[in-house]
Amino acid sequence: MTFISLILGFVLGAAAIIFALQNNEMVALSFLGWQFESSLALVIILATAVGTLLGVLLSVPSIIRRSFAIMSLKRANRGLHDEAQTLRDMHEQDEAKLQADTTSAVAPDTIDLRQP
């Protein structure tokens, strides 16, 4: 998915640059009382750059949150893996003890019937 996003970003960026180079007339811009003239190509490239920068800045908190979640899940996974290994070891010890108890318990050859 990241590779597709990267390719799509390059294609859109190239399209914006081609569009900007084909539209190089001077335009008058006004913003909050400021007025200036610039080429349409420069305005388009700056608008694309500002939009990209805002998109990246707005996605940073989500990326950081996901990174912390991934680290937490990895830590929990490591703990569960260690717990599972401990339980496996305990099971093997119990199996060995049971096997040893079974082999050491020999049935008597004679039965004493004198006991009440």
Side-chain angles (χ1 to χ4, degrees):
M1 185 66 182
T2 304
F3 183 70
I4 294 172
S5 299
L6 188 63
I7 296 289
L8 184 62
F10 280 131
V11 169
L12 290 176
I17 290 173
I18 290 170
F19 180 77
L21 292 175
Q22 291 177 351
N23 296 287
N24 56 5
E25 302 92 37
M26 294 298 285
V27 292
L29 299 171
S30 58
F31 180 71
L32 298 174
W34 296 320
Q35 285 192 333
F36 55 93
E37 286 190 21
S38 179
S39 75
L40 184 58
L42 182 61
V43 171
I44 292 171
I45 290 174
L46 285 177
T48 304
V50 168
T52 302
L53 182 64
L54 285 174
V56 168
L57 289 176
L58 290 174
S59 66
V60 166
S62 173
I63 292 169
I64 291 172
R65 196 173 322 121
R66 282 189 212 145
S67 296
F68 282 127
I70 289 170
M71 285 189 313
S72 173
L73 290 171
K74 284 183 178 179
R75 193 175 314 117
N77 188 19
R78 217 175 303 121
L80 290 172
H81 182 269
D82 293 345
E83 182 180 351
Q85 187 61 43
T86 302
L87 291 173
R88 276 189 216 104
D89 293 343
M90 288 172 53
H91 177 70
E92 288 175 4
Q93 290 173 356
D94 289 345
E95 286 289 325
K97 184 177 178 183
L98 182 63
Q99 184 68 24
D101 289 346
T102 304
T103 57
S104 66
V106 177
D109 291 338
T110 59
I111 299 175
D112 188 10
L113 297 176
R114 293 179 284 167
Q115 293 179 355

